[in-house]
Each structure stands twice: as structure tokens, then as C-alpha cells.
Amino acid sequence: MSESTTPATAPVAPADTTTGIRKQPPVILCIGMAGSGKTTFMQRINAHLHAKKTPPYVVNLDPAVGQLPFTANIDIRDTVNYQEVMKQYNLGPNGGIMTSLNLFTTKFDQVLNLVAKRAESVSHILVDTPGQIEIFTWSASGAIITDTLAATYPTVVAYIIDTPRTTAPATFMSNMLYACSILYKTKLPFILVFNKTDVVSHEFAMEWMTDFEKFQEALSQDSSYMSSLMNSMSLVLDEFYQHLKVVGVSAVTGNGVDDFFQAVEEAAEEYEKDYKPEIERMIREKLEKEEKARQKQLNKLMEDMKVAPGTEVPLNKGNSLSREGMS
């Protein structure tokens, strides 16, 4: 597996002033539904970091994308041919993407090795995921990639939302429920990124998330059976909203990108303080469980290999005397 290189003049990652230990670059997992502007957002934050002379390390995990508007250091398309996977396994588009991701995951240890070599010279690690959101968030390969990165680097999930398509309470609530499910699936610091704010401002969403009565007012105009369900769900999600970082960004104009990276820094600190100890505890428990299972199998094997103590075989004295007489 090879990688594209960034300029050799890339700055060294900053060190922690309190410990003197060099900080690991934060990983930004960009997740979003098809059409949310996720890839354009990736291009914008990539260009923003290059403009600041702090180039990131970019990984593309979308095997079906036709053309990337940015250069990826590691591109799944260099390893797996999506079209060939569809032909060989007789799969549809979604099955082809999932199988391609599964095949790529078998070599993800090589990806980690390549990333580790550059970790000290990059500011961030940007990961673009497939537009078919469920393929990454709910597949085994997506979980393996997410957990592997989170075990090594401060990992943040950026959930990209198409702001113009969330102006209706029903679509807004659907996005919030999906965001909630991803948060509890990944168990990582989470940033809601309302994209396309150059078309529609995200202020209405901020109001709905912080002021229950504002959302109730919007719901009052909806007389369908869904209104009562959304009313109940908004109360349930109130706690969810309080622990979210929310930013509005325009991937086209670049407005809000600085706010996004400020949120990333805060989320990375949150990871080090709250999430990393929990992840390390889970890893220790998993290792201890595996060690106990290995020890149990070993004990069982040793038990099975035990041979019952032999019994003495008495000599036939008559035959022994006859042999002595013959000698």
C-alpha cells in the first residue's frame, strides 16, 4: 500500500506544554448523508489547513467516488477496484461499497503504519467516509476502522448536515435522531456541522435545539400524526442537545471553518479527558477477557493431555526361569 506525499516542509506537531509529550494529531471522521456536501466540506477544511501551512494527512474511504476535489495521502481506490468487486461478487452498488470497505479493512494495519510515520509532521488526520452513511456507521469494517483510530489518536466525529433540507421539523428531527444513533454507536466526541449556511442560515436549528418553545411553535403548523411523535422526541433529545458542539459552515465560501476547528480542539481535549480513559479501560477488559479465555483453553488442553498413571506388569516367573536355564 502506497501513499501520496505532502511537502517535506510540514511543521512538527505541537508538544503538550504540561508534560512535554508531543500531542497526537486529532482524527476528524467526516460522516454525512449523500448530498450533504461532505466531500466539498473535506476539500474546504483541507485547503484551510494548507493555507495555514499546517497540512493534514488525508484518507479517502469512499471507493465509489468518481473524482476527489482534493489529494488523498491514502485512497481506498488505489487498493480496491469498486467496479471489479461488483462484477466478481455479483453485487449491487451498496453491496459493492461495503465489500470494498471490508477488503480494505483487512489491510488497515498498513494504513496505521503509514499514518504513524507522518503523525509528528501533520496537524490533523482527515478521513472521508462513503456517502452511503449506513455502510460506514453500521458495518463491522466501519466499527473496526473507527475503534482502531480512536485507540491511538484523539478522534472526533463531524456529522455533516444539509441545512436547507432540515428547515422542516420532520427532517430536522430525522437528522437529530440519526446523529444521536451515531453518537451512541461510536462513543466519541461529536460535532454537528450545519453545512451550506450560505444558502440557509443555521440559526433556526440553534433556536430549535436551545429553545423548546420555538420548536413547539414550528410543530404547531404541522397537523399530521407525526407532530405528536416529534413533540415527544424533542423532549427526549433535550439532554442530547446539551452535550453537543454545533457549528454552521459554508463549504463554498469558507465561513465558519475557524469555528469548526475551534470545536475540534475542544473535542480533542474532551477526548483526552473523558473518552480516552474509558477506551483504555475497555481495551484492558477485552485483553483480560481474551487472556482468561486463552488460559482456560490451555488448562483444558493440559487436562486432556494428562495420562493416567501406569500399573506394574507382573513378570512371568516361569518363563523367566526357563530363560535363565537355557542361558
Side-chain angles (χ1 to χ4, degrees), residues 24 27 29 105-113 115 125 136 140-155 186 188 271 279 283 286:
Q24 293 278 41
V27 174
L29 280 175
T105 304
T106 63
K107 296 182 178 293
F108 203 71
D109 58 326
Q110 297 179 34
V111 174
L112 287 178
N113 290 336
V115 172
I125 300 168
F136 183 80
S141 53
I144 290 169
I145 290 171
T146 302
D147 293 346
T148 305
L149 288 171
T152 311
Y153 303 97
T155 305
T186 59
L188 290 170
Y271 166 91
I279 290 171
I283 291 174
K286 182 180 178 182

Side-chain angles (χ1 to χ4, degrees), residues 43-202:
Q43 179 195 20
R44 172 57 63 182
I45 61 176
N46 180 46
H48 179 84
L49 291 171
H50 275 283
K52 289 184 171 293
K53 306 298 183 185
T54 56
Y57 196 89
V58 183
V59 180
N60 172 48
L61 296 179
D62 190 351
V65 65
Q67 186 175 359
L68 283 177
F70 51 85
T71 301
N73 297 88
I74 296 177
D75 195 333
I76 187 174
R77 298 175 301 170
D78 296 335
T79 305
V80 184
N81 188 319
Y82 162 69
Q83 297 291 344
E84 285 300 316
V85 168
M86 288 177 63
K87 289 178 184 177
Q88 288 184 22
Y89 294 95
N90 194 26
L91 299 169
N94 286 353
I97 294 173
M98 180 172 288
T99 304
S100 298
L101 198 60
N102 290 342
L103 293 170
F104 185 75
T105 304
T106 63
K107 296 182 178 293
F108 203 71
D109 58 326
Q110 297 179 34
V111 174
L112 287 178
N113 290 336
L114 291 172
V115 172
K117 291 177 182 177
R118 301 288 302 281
E120 292 188 356
S121 61
V122 297
S123 60
H124 298 75
I125 300 168
L126 309 182
V127 182
D128 194 13
T129 59
Q132 286 71 13
I133 189 170
E134 69 283 353
I135 290 176
F136 183 80
T137 55
W138 296 105
S139 67
S141 53
I144 290 169
I145 290 171
T146 302
D147 293 346
T148 305
L149 288 171
T152 311
Y153 303 97
T155 305
V156 178
V157 175
Y159 181 62
I160 319 301
I161 297 174
D162 187 345
T163 308
R165 292 186 179 273
T166 58
T167 53
T171 52
F172 172 80
M173 184 58 64
S174 297
N175 262 299
M176 293 303 102
L177 289 173
Y178 213 112
C180 184
S181 68
I182 294 173
L183 171 64
Y184 286 106
K185 179 71 167 61
T186 59
K187 298 181 178 67
L188 290 170
F190 203 85
I191 303 174
L192 279 182
V193 182
F194 284 93
N195 195 15
K196 306 182 184 180
T197 54
D198 56 307
V199 179
V200 175
S201 173
H202 71 297

Side-chain angles (χ1 to χ4, degrees), residues 144-299:
I144 290 169
I145 290 171
T146 302
D147 293 346
T148 305
L149 288 171
T152 311
Y153 303 97
T155 305
V156 178
V157 175
Y159 181 62
I160 319 301
I161 297 174
D162 187 345
T163 308
R165 292 186 179 273
T166 58
T167 53
T171 52
F172 172 80
M173 184 58 64
S174 297
N175 262 299
M176 293 303 102
L177 289 173
Y178 213 112
C180 184
S181 68
I182 294 173
L183 171 64
Y184 286 106
K185 179 71 167 61
T186 59
K187 298 181 178 67
L188 290 170
F190 203 85
I191 303 174
L192 279 182
V193 182
F194 284 93
N195 195 15
K196 306 182 184 180
T197 54
D198 56 307
V199 179
V200 175
S201 173
H202 71 297
E203 292 301 323
F204 74 92
M206 296 290 290
E207 283 187 350
W208 288 354
M209 294 171 69
T210 56
D211 190 337
F212 177 74
E213 291 182 358
K214 288 286 185 182
F215 189 68
Q216 292 296 305
E217 185 180 331
L219 276 179
S220 64
Q221 302 173 14
D222 187 352
S223 58
S224 68
Y225 74 96
M226 289 292 292
S227 179
S228 59
L229 174 62
M230 288 187 289
N231 186 25
S232 301
M233 293 307 301
S234 62
L235 289 170
V236 173
L237 291 177
D238 186 56
E239 183 72 17
F240 169 66
Y241 295 151
Q242 293 178 16
H243 297 87
L244 279 183
K245 293 176 175 59
V246 184
V247 295
V249 173
S250 170
V252 174
T253 65
N255 287 337
V257 172
D258 287 325
D259 294 336
F260 169 74
F261 279 107
Q262 178 61 37
V264 169
E265 289 302 314
E266 293 174 2
E269 292 176 5
E270 184 182 347
Y271 166 91
E272 294 288 351
K273 180 182 177 183
D274 300 326
Y275 289 82
K276 188 177 180 180
E278 179 65 15
I279 290 171
E280 290 175 344
R281 183 190 65 79
M282 291 171 65
I283 291 174
R284 283 196 305 270
E285 288 183 355
K286 182 180 178 182
L287 292 175
E288 288 172 2
K289 187 176 179 181
E290 289 175 352
E291 177 61 25
K292 287 179 181 178
R294 189 189 69 80
Q295 192 63 41
K296 184 177 179 181
Q297 289 179 354
L298 182 60
N299 292 339

